[in-house]
Amino acid sequence: QVQLVESGGGLVQPGGSLRLSCAASGSIFSINTMGWYRQAPGKERELVAGITSGRSTNYADSVKGRFTISRDNFKNTVYLQMNSLKPEDTAVYYCNTKYYKTWYDVRNTNELDAWGQGTLVTVSS
């Protein structure tokens, strides 16, 4: 099994910053994409940012220029630096990874999916 452990959420004032971390561990042969999603009350889960194993990134339009995603492939860890936070960024943030468990899965393109438990980010004065 793969476990994703998130940290870094909390309460911050508008305009402030937070850094989220997510470490993957367990039966992992290789990790492809790592990403962050968020879900605000009464809304659907949405992609915030993603990063490939080659470090190509993509962002939701609402966070471009404010959030930065990065990863440490040796530590199987993904980060989300969030600056200039707004009240509308308030949500539970979830880490996601798409990975291969074994070389057999790589050969058969059997990509697996794992989610973290979520960390709450509250932006409020």
Side-chain angles (χ1 to χ4, degrees), residues 102-124:
T102 66
W103 178 84
Y104 179 82
D105 292 320
V106 175
R107 190 179 68 177
N108 291 279
T109 61
N110 181 29
E111 189 178 72
L112 303 175
D113 204 27
W115 290 89
Q117 79 285 357
T119 184
L120 178 62
V121 172
T122 303
V123 184
S124 175

Side-chain angles (χ1 to χ4, degrees), residues 52-97:
T52 68
S53 57
R55 293 185 170 83
S56 295
T57 59
N58 65 292
Y59 296 92
D61 288 342
S62 59
V63 307
K64 284 181 180 177
R66 300 188 297 122
F67 291 10
T68 301
I69 189 170
S70 61
R71 64 189 281 175
D72 183 330
N73 289 335
F74 291 106
K75 296 181 179 179
N76 286 342
T77 299
V78 63
Y79 307 95
L80 185 68
Q81 178 66 44
M82 304 185 293
N83 299 327
S84 302
L85 282 160
K86 304 175 181 179
E88 51 263 44
D89 294 318
T90 295
V92 177
Y93 284 70
Y94 297 91
C95 175
N96 172 266
T97 183

